């Protein structure tokens, strides 16, 4: 599903305009981003959690050339599936 398809689904499901649905999705993603940047988790009960994690520095390999390069430490986000979503996926 693309962002445009998600906006259309939100618009149809909530009975709001596509502009309102786009604004709601943009505010949601911005809120999740800001929370993770501040070091906080975002938990949506029954759906899952967005968690910020630290990645240590290390060595990485360029798959095209095979060259080994130094990878700096960084932050990344992970999504942990909640029980409700897991149950829905597994029937």
């Amino acid at each position: 599903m693309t962002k445009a398809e998600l906006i259309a689904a939100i618009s149809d499901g909530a009975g709001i305009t596509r502009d309102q649905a786009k604004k709601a999705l943009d505010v949601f993603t911005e809120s999740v981003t800001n929370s993770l940047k501040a070091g906080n988790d975002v938990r949506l009960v029954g759906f899952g959690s967005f968690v910020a994690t630290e990645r240590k520095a290390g060595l990485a390999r360029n798959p095209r050339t095979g060259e080994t390069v130094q990878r700096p430490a960084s932050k990344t986000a992970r999504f942990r599936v909640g029980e409700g979503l897991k149950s829905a996926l597994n029937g």
Side-chain angles (χ1 to χ4, degrees), residues 3-84:
K3 183 176 179 181
E5 292 169 337
L6 182 56
I7 290 169
I10 292 170
S11 173
D12 294 341
I16 58 177
T17 67
R18 289 185 187 227
D19 286 339
Q20 291 170 326
K22 182 183 182 310
K23 178 70 174 173
L25 182 59
D26 289 343
V27 169
F28 171 77
T29 56
E30 183 179 324
S31 298
V32 170
T33 301
N34 291 338
S35 183
L36 293 175
K37 282 174 70 173
N40 302 316
D41 297 346
V42 177
R43 294 187 180 118
L44 304 172
V45 177
F47 184 72
S49 301
F50 296 94
V51 182
T53 60
E54 297 283 336
R55 212 166 88 166
K56 295 179 183 177
L59 294 176
R61 188 178 65 80
N62 182 331
R64 182 173 294 173
T65 64
E67 177 186 3
T68 302
V69 293
Q70 188 68 25
R71 179 180 43 83
S74 63
K75 290 182 181 179
T76 189
R78 302 272 189 245
F79 180 74
R80 295 185 184 149
V81 179
E83 276 302 313

